[in-house]
Amino acid sequence: MKIPAFFIAHGSPLLAIEDNDYTAFLEKLGRELPRPRGIAVFSAHWDSPEQLVTVDERHETLHDFYGFPEEMYRLTYPAPGDASLSRRIGELFAAGNLSYQPSRGRGIDHGVWVILRRMFPDADIPVVALSVDSLRSPAEQYAIGRMLSPLRDEGILFIGSGGLVHNLRMLEDGGNPAEWAVDFDSWIAEKLEAGELEALFAYDKQAPHARDAVPSYGKEHFVPLFYAMGTAAKGTKAQRMFQAYQYGTLSLNCWKFE
């Protein structure tokens, strides 16, 4: 059973308790997907030069944010891990000559649990979290995803969790999205829908407003896109499932890769 892979923006941690069009979309998406055997998430909030893979039997919930309502710090997502899936991921990394390390006891960050809590609220599907390396090239990030593509045929749901436009220094109070943010998202959408990998790999040189949308200090939120894309069949064209904005520039989008 092959399940689509996704890039899913996790936006503000408040998505865990808010009710809006995006949270309703995530809940509906979770209900409509075939039930995965396991979920593997590349999270923007786990940026490491070394590839890390969780191996916990059950995950603690990391509240890796500050200044939010007290209710947020009481939320948990006690999803189980899956030792066999972690092992299988490690085998595929080793076969691809990628050095990796098992990680025990870290917990799952809000880039993982906020979206999974909306999609699969029962927390009864095994989860394995994976780090990203924002200093690698897009081609390398994509290649790491490709190593894991065989797991798509084994009922594993892959998610890249981040944000295509994610510059916290350029948030706005207005209700309408900033034109530059829309222009960047539109360029990315055009290339994703056409399957133009080489252009996407060069987004920082070709896309309009790339430095504002993906600042040098925030690349980790963009790169989960390439990891998720890599898990899909080579040449796969993407489908945009949702697009909206928070605070004028924080892009909320979901892309599906069959």
Side-chain angles (χ1 to χ4, degrees), residues 30-100:
R31 291 193 300 269
E32 292 180 348
L33 282 174
R35 181 179 172 86
R37 184 175 69 80
I39 304 170
V41 184
F42 286 98
S43 174
H45 288 279
W46 199 9
D47 192 1
S48 169
E50 187 173 42
Q51 182 62 60
L52 302 171
V53 182
T54 60
V55 295
D56 297 293
E57 292 183 8
R58 187 162 295 275
H59 297 290
E60 296 294 325
T61 304
L62 277 177
H63 299 94
D64 51 334
F65 42 78
Y66 60 91
F68 286 85
E70 186 60 33
E71 176 187 358
M72 293 288 298
Y73 302 94
R74 293 194 293 268
L75 298 178
T76 62
Y77 192 79
D82 185 334
S84 63
L85 176 56
S86 296
R87 242 185 343 263
R88 183 88 171 94
I89 288 172
E91 291 168 355
L92 291 171
F93 282 155
N97 294 315
L98 178 69
S99 175
Y100 76 97

Side-chain angles (χ1 to χ4, degrees), residues 148-185:
L148 302 184
S149 60
L151 293 174
R152 293 276 311 284
D153 293 316
E154 300 176 22
I156 303 304
L157 166 63
F158 283 97
I159 296 174
S161 171
L164 298 188
V165 180
H166 190 277
N167 188 337
L168 300 184
R169 297 179 188 176
M170 296 185 71
L171 299 182
E172 299 180 1
D173 293 330
N176 295 322
E179 185 175 344
W180 65 264
V182 174
D183 287 347
F184 178 82
D185 263 329

Side-chain angles (χ1 to χ4, degrees), residues 14-257:
L14 289 172
L15 286 175
I17 59 175
E18 290 177 338
D19 290 315
N20 54 41
D21 289 346
Y22 190 48
T23 60
F25 162 77
L26 292 175
E27 291 168 358
K28 184 172 184 287
L29 179 63
R31 291 193 300 269
E32 292 180 348
L33 282 174
R35 181 179 172 86
R37 184 175 69 80
I39 304 170
V41 184
F42 286 98
S43 174
H45 288 279
W46 199 9
D47 192 1
S48 169
E50 187 173 42
Q51 182 62 60
L52 302 171
V53 182
T54 60
V55 295
D56 297 293
E57 292 183 8
R58 187 162 295 275
H59 297 290
E60 296 294 325
T61 304
L62 277 177
H63 299 94
D64 51 334
F65 42 78
Y66 60 91
F68 286 85
E70 186 60 33
E71 176 187 358
M72 293 288 298
Y73 302 94
R74 293 194 293 268
L75 298 178
T76 62
Y77 192 79
D82 185 334
S84 63
L85 176 56
S86 296
R87 242 185 343 263
R88 183 88 171 94
I89 288 172
E91 291 168 355
L92 291 171
F93 282 155
N97 294 315
L98 178 69
S99 175
Y100 76 97
Q101 288 295 324
S103 174
R104 189 180 302 278
R106 175 182 182 268
I108 50 175
D109 58 65
H110 77 271
V112 179
W113 67 262
V114 165
I115 56 177
L116 293 186
R117 194 171 182 274
R118 303 311 300 231
M119 294 174 68
F120 306 106
D122 293 334
D124 58 351
I125 300 173
V127 174
V128 173
L130 301 128
S131 64
V132 300
D133 183 355
S134 63
L135 298 182
R136 288 184 181 269
S137 70
E140 289 176 308
Q141 294 153 356
Y142 178 85
I144 291 172
R146 293 291 302 147
M147 294 175 194
L148 302 184
S149 60
L151 293 174
R152 293 276 311 284
D153 293 316
E154 300 176 22
I156 303 304
L157 166 63
F158 283 97
I159 296 174
S161 171
L164 298 188
V165 180
H166 190 277
N167 188 337
L168 300 184
R169 297 179 188 176
M170 296 185 71
L171 299 182
E172 299 180 1
D173 293 330
N176 295 322
E179 185 175 344
W180 65 264
V182 174
D183 287 347
F184 178 82
D185 263 329
S186 297
W187 187 92
I188 295 294
E190 177 186 330
K191 303 308 177 187
L192 282 172
E193 289 168 348
E196 295 183 21
L197 268 183
E198 294 306 317
L200 287 162
F201 289 167
Y203 78 91
D204 56 337
K205 300 176 182 65
Q206 297 186 20
H209 312 290
R211 290 186 180 180
D212 289 333
V214 188
S216 59
Y217 55 84
K219 291 173 64 177
E220 75 286 341
H221 273 77
F222 188 80
V223 302
L225 172 69
F226 296 121
Y227 288 91
M229 287 172 60
T231 66
K234 195 168 184 179
T236 294
K237 297 178 182 179
Q239 178 184 355
R240 182 157 56 179
M241 308 289 290
F242 190 94
Q243 180 69 65
Y245 294 87
Q246 290 182 305
Y247 314 114
T249 66
L250 192 62
S251 184
L252 297 179
N253 36 35
C254 175
W255 284 92
K256 179 170 76 170
F257 307 96

